[in-house]
Amino acid sequence: MSLRAEDVSWEVGGRLLVQGVSLSPEPGETIGLLGPNGSGKSSLLRLLAGIRPASSGVVTLDGVELAALRRKSVARRVAVVEQHADTSVDLDVLDVIRLGRIPHRGAWSSPRPEDDAAVRAAVAHTRLEPHLHQSWHTLSGGERQRVQIARALAQQPTELLLDEPTNHLDIKHQLELLTLIVNTPVTSVVALHDLNLAAMYCDRLLVLREGLVAAAGTPSEVLTEELVRDVYRVRASVTPEGPDGRPAIRFLRAEGSGTTDAGCTRKAISR
């Protein structure tokens, strides 16, 4: 069993932000959440994390409703990496990573050997050893995201939820960050805007449009020229590339615009 959403909806102010969505990741899978701005990706992640209660349907963890579990119990299993993270406190990198152990400790307890071991493992996995005593505020965007993933891994979760972790990063750091995520031995659900990155790194995709599921399946099943046109209102050519035939998308133009070519394809690479 794992983290699952069954026919969940979330209504705010009379508007349905998520409508009847079901999601059942397999252990160790990387699931990509796709969709235009306002399609419900971040809202669905909040439901999966238990940050917001579903208006209908149910989110379960190992078959138990999240609402029936203590927040600390959920935090020991489910880690969240937000799109933007900042602090006004002058913390160094090691202090930020240590925050991931809060769900496992008492309010005033000192770090235990198992806490230190979890932090060391998270640091090693994210290759942050050279930055441990560097101030958080001096880091680049890509380095900050790596620290946030290390903080999440220090929780020792079985599920990792990430809200557009590659936003505002250059291509090199996008590729490095997603490689880090898929090589992490947990189940990951990651919201992404870049369709080619989703095709390259995700095992399965869930595409949302106005809170509804527009498509679900493997990248080859989901990322078609018809879906890109219907969901994103953009013309594209989709071709299989790489040894595993994952789709590569070349965008042509926005529907109804006078432009002839809106960009080029990022080559698919094998994991």
Side-chain angles (χ1 to χ4, degrees):
M1 298 293 289
S2 185
L3 185 68
R4 300 182 186 277
E6 299 176 19
D7 198 28
V8 294
S9 297
W10 184 26
E11 182 177 352
V12 177
R15 181 187 171 204
L16 277 168
L17 302 181
V18 177
Q19 305 183 51
V21 175
S22 295
L23 181 64
S24 300
E26 295 296 328
E29 262 193 324
T30 299
I31 304 292
L33 295 183
L34 301 178
N37 289 335
S39 60
K41 300 186 299 296
S42 296
S43 297
L44 179 58
L45 287 175
R46 292 189 181 100
L47 295 177
L48 291 172
I51 297 172
R52 294 287 185 270
S55 303
S56 62
V58 63
V59 178
T60 61
L61 185 61
D62 287 343
V64 180
E65 291 190 31
L66 285 190
L69 297 170
R70 297 171 59 233
R71 277 305 306 162
K72 181 173 280 193
S73 298
V74 175
R76 288 173 177 172
R77 287 283 310 277
V78 182
V80 179
V81 176
E82 299 283 358
Q83 184 177 153
H84 301 290
D86 205 352
T87 177
S88 58
V89 181
D90 188 18
L91 298 174
D92 64 24
V93 168
L94 183 58
D95 288 333
V96 174
I97 298 171
R98 283 173 172 162
L99 293 175
R101 296 306 298 167
I102 290 176
H104 297 272
R105 293 169 51 191
W108 308 108
S109 64
S110 299
R112 301 161 301 173
E114 53 263 43
D115 297 318
D116 294 334
V119 169
R120 287 196 302 271
V123 169
H125 187 76
T126 51
R127 304 184 307 280
L128 284 167
E129 291 90 342
H131 303 285
L132 289 183
H133 301 293
Q134 187 173 341
S135 170
W136 162 263
H137 296 286
T138 65
L139 300 176
S140 68
E143 289 166 343
R144 288 189 181 192
Q145 285 294 67
R146 267 203 294 155
V147 173
Q148 287 305 309
I149 291 174
R151 186 267 310 157
L153 294 180
Q155 290 178 230
Q156 296 181 305
T158 57
E159 327 286 330
L160 183 61
L161 309 177
L162 305 103
D163 191 2
E164 298 183 24
T166 59
N167 201 24
H168 303 308
L169 300 184
D170 60 39
I171 293 174
K172 177 178 182 291
H173 285 101
Q174 289 179 28
L175 296 174
E176 288 179 349
L177 196 72
L178 288 170
T179 298
L180 174 63
I181 291 167
V182 300
N183 288 335
T184 298
V186 299
T187 303
S188 300
V189 181
V190 52
L192 293 168
H193 270 304
D194 192 308
L195 304 187
N196 281 300
L197 287 178
M200 290 159 63
Y201 286 98
C202 296
D203 299 304
R204 286 192 291 143
L205 303 175
L206 182 76
V207 183
L208 298 176
R209 175 174 52 187
E210 297 180 351
L212 293 163
V213 176
T218 66
S220 297
E221 293 168 339
V222 167
L223 293 176
T224 65
E225 295 174 3
E226 293 76 17
L227 178 123
V228 175
R229 182 194 64 221
D230 295 343
V231 172
Y232 291 92
R233 306 300 298 166
V234 173
R235 289 183 57 212
S237 63
V238 179
T239 55
E241 292 196 10
D244 54 1
R246 288 177 178 250
I249 300 97
R250 177 175 181 267
F251 299 102
L252 303 177
R253 66 176 176 84
E255 288 289 303
S257 75
T259 58
T260 57
D261 200 322
C264 59
T265 301
R266 181 176 297 130
K267 292 287 187 180
I269 61 174
S270 172
R271 301 204 315 240

